[in-house]
Amino acid sequence: MSTTEQVVRTIAETAIENEKYFGDLDSVVGDGDFGYSLARGFEKLLEGWDDLDRTDDGTFLKRTGMVIASRIGGTSGPLWGTAFIRAGGAAGDGVVAMLRAAIEGIKARGQSDVGDKTLLDALVPMTDRLESELGRGASTEEAIRAAAASAREAADATSGMVAKRGRAAYTGERSRGSVDAGATAVAVIAERISETWK
């Protein structure tokens, strides 16, 4: 299994294992379906795992994104699907370029940015940290560990924000005081990748 496949499999397994946790977080100010939707989409991905086109990492990520976009309900499907498809388009340029491409895809698709209390609030700081760690010569393992720590810190900080996108945006000030489910999912997944990195 390639490194990319291992990472995608870890993301899928982590999303499925944390279905209730992510759903509970989302139900505070959202509609509570985030954990369920994410888990069902990644279950579909794992069900068809052996049939995914593995010609190269780019093709594999694009196929992954297409399954996710078509199988995850609500706004999460298009956002997470777009992230994988865009990352696939940048495969070969390194992990930071793939993450940046995913971020741009999410911004365009969700009409959102950092500060809107979405998954971008963890994904962007995580990517920035990964890039700076790798740039200063840290090992991949050290860089991933540092990036995961940044994702967690940034996700926790979303509790002080007011949601500007998604169902939570309708609650206005009431969305302050709870963490964003998408940002927390990014942190949990990053932590799992850093724990299982070989």
Side-chain angles (χ1 to χ4, degrees):
M1 205 185 306
S2 73
T3 304
T4 301
E5 286 172 56
Q6 285 173 331
V7 168
V8 171
R9 193 160 185 109
T10 301
I11 292 170
E13 289 168 354
T14 307
I16 293 163
E17 285 161 22
N18 286 277
E19 176 183 345
K20 185 181 182 323
Y21 176 52
F22 294 160
D24 289 348
L25 288 177
D26 186 42
S27 66
V28 178
V29 289
D31 48 16
D33 70 344
F34 174 66
Y36 176 85
S37 298
L38 214 56
R40 295 300 77 76
F42 280 110
E43 274 173 1
K44 281 286 176 212
L45 183 72
L46 293 185
E47 276 170 28
W49 185 255
D50 295 336
D51 303 322
L52 286 166
D53 187 337
R54 289 172 169 73
T55 309
D56 52 53
D57 282 347
T59 305
F60 173 72
L61 287 168
K62 287 174 188 170
R63 291 278 173 254
T64 296
M66 286 155 87
V67 171
I68 288 167
S70 66
R71 296 296 185 177
I72 296 180
T75 51
S76 296
L79 293 177
W80 287 69
T82 297
F84 280 98
I85 291 166
R86 291 288 190 90
D93 298 331
V95 67
V96 172
M98 288 159 68
L99 286 166
R100 293 270 181 236
I103 287 164
E104 289 313 311
I106 292 167
K107 285 181 178 181
R109 195 72 197 251
Q111 299 293 297
S112 56
D113 210 334
V114 173
D116 289 344
K117 193 167 182 166
T118 69
L119 76 163
L120 290 169
D121 289 301
L123 192 57
V124 172
M126 179 193 89
T127 305
D128 290 346
R129 183 73 184 275
L130 186 67
E131 184 173 34
S132 75
E133 292 293 325
L134 291 171
R136 70 173 187 79
S139 70
T140 306
E141 196 173 334
E142 289 169 335
I144 291 170
R145 198 174 308 124
S150 288
R152 169 57 64 187
E153 196 180 312
D156 289 348
T158 61
S159 68
M161 297 177 173
V162 173
K164 297 186 183 132
R165 288 282 171 266
R167 189 67 56 91
Y170 298 120
T171 63
E173 273 298 324
R174 213 162 55 78
S175 66
R176 201 188 295 276
S178 60
V179 294
D180 179 68
T184 302
V186 168
V188 170
I189 288 166
E191 286 165 347
R192 179 68 58 84
I193 290 168
S194 103
E195 285 159 16
T196 57
W197 187 263
K198 299 282 183 290

